[in-house]
Amino acid sequence: MDSALWIRSYEDIALPIGLDQTISQPYTVARQTELLDLKAGQKVLEIGTGSGYQCAVLCELGLNVYSIERHRPLHERSREHLRELGYRPMLKCDDGTLGWSAYAPYDGIVVTAGAPVVPESLKSQLAPGGRLVIPVGDTSSQHMHVITRLGEDDFQEEILSGFKFVPLIGREGW
Ligand code: SAH
């Protein structure tokens, strides 16, 4: 975060990271990570690298992390910070609503921006038993959808109470 905000960095709130985006509230990062329910060595895709904080948490859990950010300055800054801190995720600057098919399937996919609908591309890149954790709603509030892939065209969906994210912008987003 910007050094002017360091004094607030341990508060459980969303803080600005530039380009009208925010680092998610730490509680939300923890909750989404918990809902992924992954074990060390599994493969996870994050949509919305932002500051790189959630990405670092996923790396700390021993996961193989892939993360996509659509804003180039955020992508570049988080890439630099993550490298400085010794994390080795695979990062790319692109529209994450389409997923990252080259490395699919994933044991977990976490979307850290609010979507209008669940992108079909992301569902199709889940491994059998894999989970997609994605906030879906309008631009003012969302519910967390936890979608588990049971078979080729068989998905189970659980919906959890209100969250507030910045919008997911893209082909299968806003
Ligand atoms: N996980 C981040 C949260 C950042 S906020 C963190 O720990 O800091 C959500 C991020 O999603 C923003 O940086 C925004 O630019 C990005 N985003 C929005 N739509 C996107 C899309 N279609 N593809 C990739 N990133 C997207």
Side-chain angles (χ1 to χ4, degrees):
M1 284 190 293
D2 189 280
S3 54
L5 289 168
W6 286 357
I7 193 165
R8 306 202 66 185
S9 62
Y10 284 90
E11 292 178 35
D12 193 19
I13 51 171
L15 288 165
I17 55 172
L19 294 162
D20 270 347
Q21 306 303 317
T22 52
I23 185 171
S24 301
Q25 177 189 6
Y27 167 76
T28 302
V29 174
R31 189 76 178 110
Q32 285 197 290
T33 305
E34 181 178 50
L35 290 169
L36 280 169
D37 196 20
L38 294 171
K39 293 184 186 64
Q42 289 189 302
K43 204 197 293 185
V44 63
L45 174 66
E46 177 194 29
I47 312 303
T49 319
S51 66
Y53 177 66
Q54 166 95 64
C55 185
V57 168
L58 297 171
C59 291
E60 280 289 343
L61 294 176
L63 300 168
N64 293 321
V65 185
Y66 297 77
S67 183
I68 308 175
E69 170 56 51
R70 63 182 286 271
H71 280 302
R72 187 156 296 278
L74 293 179
H75 161 76
E76 283 173 0
R77 195 171 57 194
S78 57
R79 188 175 57 189
E80 210 173 291
H81 286 160
L82 288 161
R83 196 192 294 130
E84 275 169 20
L85 292 166
Y87 298 113
R88 296 281 177 273
M90 293 280 285
L91 302 174
K92 90 165 168 169
C93 186
D94 209 341
D95 175 7
T97 62
L98 306 177
W100 196 345
S101 59
Y103 295 101
Y106 301 94
D107 301 303
I109 301 178
V110 58
V111 180
T112 69
V117 290
V118 178
E120 284 301 318
S121 301
L122 297 184
K123 284 171 75 174
S124 75
Q125 292 176 27
L126 280 178
R131 285 166 172 241
L132 167 60
V133 177
I134 177 170
V136 181
D138 56 31
T139 47
S140 58
S141 75
Q142 303 87 31
H143 292 296
M144 196 68 74
H145 291 229
V146 182
I147 298 161
T148 308
R149 187 171 208 170
L150 302 176
E152 184 56 27
D153 289 314
D154 190 8
F155 294 88
Q156 177 193 295
E157 189 161 348
E158 195 186 334
I159 300 175
L160 302 161
S161 64
F163 289 85
K164 167 117 184 71
F165 285 82
V166 295
L168 181 75
I169 313 282
R171 284 261 298 282
E172 295 188 38
W174 289 105

